[in-house]
Amino acid sequence: MLKRINKFEYFAPSTLAEAISLLAEYKGKAKLYAGGTDVLVQMKQRKITPEYIIDIKNVPELNGITYSPEGELRIGALVTHRQFAISKNVPEKFTMLKEASLAVGSVQTRNRGTIVGNICTSSPAADTPPALLALDAGLKLVSSTGERTVKICDFFTGPFKNILKDTEILTEILIPDLPENSGGIYLWHSKITEEDETLVGVGVVVSVDNLQNKVCKQARIGLGSVAPAPMRAVKTEDFLKGKILDEDTIGQAAEIAANESLPRSRAEYRKEMVKVQTKRALSQALKRIEG
Amino acid sequence: MDNKINIKVNINGDDYSLEVEPNTLLLDLLRNKLGLTGTKLACGTGECGACTVIMDGLTVNSCLVLAAEVDGKNITTIEGLSKNGELHPLQESFIEEGAVQCGFCTPGMILSSKALLDKNPNPTDEEIKIAISGNLCRCTGYKKILKAIRSAAQKMAC
Ligand SMILES: Cc1cc2nc3c(=O)[nH]c(=O)nc-3n(C[C@H](O)[C@H](O)[C@H](O)COP(=O)(O)OP(=O)(O)OC[C@H]3O[C@@H](n4cnc5c(N)ncnc54)[C@H](O)[C@@H]3O)c2cc1C
Ligand code: FES
Ligand code: FES
């Protein structure tokens, strides 16, 4: 491991407008920098050698977690895993995202690393994307020429790849309100190494008509580390719609999820674990609706 | 291209005005420029916690922090723990309980423990384990470290 990093010019803009114009000016040669837990590791590995680093931590517009009266949760780009996990502004129905943030690294990494940085690195094994996929999060992308909001299910395009242009900043995550009678959970387990990289991560949100009949109105399932990019298990979601969520149905859904996952390495084991974790996640999400 | 950056930073209670290169890491600033060699370099990639320091109350791995970023911050390194020649209760307990062998992980381990006890003076074993989960020790087997942290918490409560 190289311990040194290349020379670069360092900017710490204090407004979003300034950050965006720097990004436009040094297009392709600049790297946005938040907690640096991915950027600095990649620089040490010489995977990237940016000429300019744009540290966005002094941009106030990118701070904060807010919950709107309409039930939408907004998470600014600078919110760290730690800030999110201990935030009192996050209603209980979004606890699964706290679980995902707490799955990231150790205390030191969570104190620095941001949820938005986790999304933008777009590692297939990242912990927050499966939860955010299940929560159907929107992502606001802003550049000098305008802004757009995309759904996270349209964001990832491959291992460490996404649709972000080199002039765009992801300014905030927007999580829509959940329907009544919904429950969600994020479950994962990891390789035991010094990094404890996630081997399989499953985020689930299920909504039922009512607690008596347990008829599934909608299910969203995000899978991590079992495909080239974080993915939605859409076949499983379609299967669950309209079904009574009994043990049998959940078991079948878990099989479908395993079949639609696309792991490359340790494929057999990972598929088996998708089955196990999806089954657990669906049962536990259901329990959470019951409270 | 390389623009020098002026920073003002408080380290262990002392104010410093420094000029740093953009690609200087906080770890290198502490060790090479300021001679605070209690902060250790091992993996260099955020995995082992040997380089842990406390920045504005939170532990960070100084191998993954740019010196340029610490402008206006308060930093505590292991050198900042003893006061007037008196060891911090955590340092005492680590010695008493035999929680130090080669000592390479110790500064980081103690700083992670301090950050925990500063916020949570009476932690459970589970909370202690989470707090030090980013600090790897190759020698002690962790049991004595856990014992030392528990014992320090008790001392500090009195
Ligand atoms: C030891 C260690 C263990 C780890 N363990 C885990 C783990 O268990 N699970 C896990 O998921 N991750 C893990 N990580 C990865 C990492 O901590 C996360 O991905 C982190 O959330 C990244 O956030 P950051 O703020 O540090 O990002 P940075 O490193 O600052 O940036 C990451 C990427 O996002 C881009 N970026 C940042 N902010 C924006 C923005 N607003 N708009 C557009 N682009 C942006 C950067 O240019 C860069 O490409 C680990 C890392 C380390 C070092
Ligand atoms: S040297 Fe910084 S975490 Fe290992
Ligand atoms: S005492 Fe040697 S690594 Fe912990």
Side-chain angles (χ1 to χ4, degrees), chain B residues 40-51 61-63:
Chain B
K40 303 298 179 200
L41 166 65
C43 70
T45 49
E47 289 152 17
C48 75
C51 65
N61 289 322
S62 62
C63 71

Side-chain angles (χ1 to χ4, degrees), chain A residues 33-38 40 57 78 112-114, chain B residues 64-65 69:
Chain A
Y33 181 95
T37 60
D38 283 321
L40 287 176
K57 279 195 292 296
L78 291 175
R112 294 266 296 166
T114 60
Chain B
L64 293 185
V65 177
E69 291 176 64

